[in-house]
Amino acid sequence: MSVAASVMRGLYEYALAKGAPEAGLVEAAGIDLAGLEDADRRLPFPRYQALMRAASRLCGDPAFALHWGRDVDLAQISIVGLIALASRDMMDAFAQLNRFGQLVVEVEVEGAAPSRFAHAVDARGAWIVDRRVPMRDFPEFTELTFARMISGSRRFGDTPFVLAVEVTHAAPPHAAEYERVFGAPVTFAAPWNAMRVDTSWFGRPVAIEPRYVFGVLARHADEMLAALQTATSLRARVERALMPTLHTGETTMTGVAASLGLSRSTLARRLRDEGVTFAEVLADLRRRLAVEYLKNRRVSVSEIAYLLGFSDPAAFSRAFRRWTGEAPRDLARRVQTQS
């Protein structure tokens, strides 16, 4: 997952305005301020999480994410917000948010859902559901998402757009601040992240920006989205370089770096920028391949050990237990039972 540099820049500047020391933010999040100048640059999601946590701590505000979402409109930090303001009505703005949301932040969506946000209806009313995979260790992400959507709607009418909010995480110590920011009752430890809405809002006009601006921005956003979707991470390039020699066990970082035309230190630094180490990439590639081989059931444990470059089956079995918590044969038997 990645985040637009413009979003990181907005978060950083808001934290500074709220009293966080610059040096503390930079050190805690491991960010390069020069790298935040290119608004379209992508940065690894862990840096975003680290910066959010550091900002909250350094500002002495446990509800920092709620307040950032409330105080800073998406149009101030992303082209996606500008496109929303040039949309015909609230429904159109919602559709554009779904269309271009990855340009703000890439998230993993549950199942095979085509878009992050969806409509749902139950006996209580209509809901907007955030279908991203819940991040129970990062509830701040839900806080700022809903705070920004709710606060952004207030410029288009005096009546509430959101009537109730439900979130999957447990109530934090600052739970009372949720209702003050959202202006709606909140249910914690719910089965989904969702907002119950007044559907009459969907037809409300927006078009703060001229309509021709929508076309200009949308074309640029389409180009950005295409580039994002076809971008090849360094991690993927490393995995491709590892595959032909994995079975030999000669999978050194120096050798892979040379095959990519990089120095060992440059490879380490650029992988670190993506939030991983070479050892983690190698271990995860081996784990994924091992699971696939075992599920396929056409390769023995000894053969898998050879294919993945282990010195013997025992070494592979120990590694597999570290990765998954079970022995290779246990997984193989479980797959056979289920089939």
Side-chain angles (χ1 to χ4, degrees), residues 262-275:
L262 302 171
S263 68
R264 190 178 189 279
S265 59
T266 298
L267 175 60
R269 175 177 55 78
R270 290 179 58 183
L271 283 174
R272 189 166 60 248
D273 287 343
E274 293 187 6

Side-chain angles (χ1 to χ4, degrees), residues 14 26 32 36 38 42 67 72 93 97 99 105 131 142 155 161 169 206 212 232 240 277 279 303 323:
Y14 181 75
V26 171
D32 174 14
L36 300 184
D38 179 0
R42 307 302 300 186
H67 297 151
V72 178
L97 180 63
R99 178 184 175 189
V105 55
R131 294 192 292 195
T142 299
R155 68 169 70 186
F161 168 49
H169 59 268
V206 178
Y212 81 88
T232 302
R240 285 200 297 272
T277 64
E303 289 169 330
W323 299 332

Side-chain angles (χ1 to χ4, degrees), residues 46-318:
R47 296 278 189 274
Y48 181 54
Q49 184 173 359
L51 182 58
M52 183 78 71
R53 291 276 169 82
S56 177
R57 184 181 72 256
L58 294 171
C59 291
D61 181 8
F64 178 89
L66 284 169
H67 297 151
W68 186 49
R70 177 196 63 193
D71 296 341
V72 178
D73 190 273
L74 185 60
Q76 296 176 248
I77 57 174
S78 172
I79 188 175
V80 180
L82 293 171
I83 290 172
L85 293 183
S87 302
R88 288 185 303 272
D89 52 33
M90 290 290 286
M91 180 64 82
D92 187 29
F94 179 76
Q96 302 312 319
L97 180 63
N98 253 340
R99 178 184 175 189
F100 295 119
Q102 291 183 73
L103 296 180
V104 183
V105 55
E106 290 178 288
V107 295
E108 184 181 358
V109 178
E110 290 184 322
S115 53
R116 177 177 171 184
F117 296 99
H119 292 117
V121 178
D122 64 15
R124 298 170 295 170
W127 298 80
I128 291 177
V129 185
D130 188 349
R131 294 192 292 195
R132 66 171 177 78
V133 174
M135 301 176 190
R136 301 190 189 281
D137 63 335
F138 192 37
E140 297 95 327
F141 195 47
T142 299
E143 292 178 349
L144 74 92
T145 297
F146 285 175
R148 184 156 288 144
M149 293 177 76
I150 292 169
S151 298
S153 71
R154 289 180 179 140
R155 68 169 70 186
F156 302 107
D158 297 327
T159 59
F161 168 49
V162 172
L163 307 175
V165 176
E166 296 188 354
V167 296
T168 56
H169 59 268
H174 58 281
E177 190 66 9
Y178 278 66
E179 293 196 9
R180 282 196 287 271
V181 171
F182 295 161
V186 180
T187 300
F188 295 94
W192 60 2
N193 289 304
M195 302 180 294
R196 184 161 61 87
V197 298
D198 177 355
T199 56
S200 69
W201 268 74
F202 290 137
R204 295 200 180 191
V206 178
I208 289 179
E209 299 290 344
R211 188 62 185 170
Y212 81 88
V213 171
F214 177 90
V216 173
L217 295 175
R219 282 193 296 275
H220 180 56
D222 274 327
E223 293 171 358
M224 293 169 60
L225 190 59
L228 175 62
Q229 292 171 342
T230 59
T232 302
S233 68
L234 180 60
R235 176 177 183 153
R237 292 171 59 200
V238 168
E239 290 185 351
R240 285 200 297 272
L242 285 168
M243 288 293 289
T245 59
L246 197 60
H247 68 283
T248 68
E250 300 298 322
T251 51
T252 66
M253 187 173 178
T254 300
V256 170
S259 72
L260 297 176
L262 302 171
S263 68
R264 190 178 189 279
S265 59
T266 298
L267 175 60
R269 175 177 55 78
R270 290 179 58 183
L271 283 174
R272 189 166 60 248
D273 287 343
E274 293 187 6
V276 293
T277 64
F278 178 80
E280 289 169 343
V281 173
L282 175 59
D284 188 59
L285 177 61
R286 282 173 156 171
R287 177 191 60 79
R288 297 197 323 264
L289 289 172
V291 170
E292 288 303 314
Y293 288 144
L294 288 165
K295 287 182 176 180
N296 187 269
R297 292 188 293 154
R298 295 180 182 176
V299 188
S300 70
V301 171
S302 295
E303 289 169 330
I304 293 173
Y306 165 75
L307 289 170
L308 298 183
F310 285 91
S311 57
D312 57 66
F316 165 63
S317 294
R318 288 194 297 272

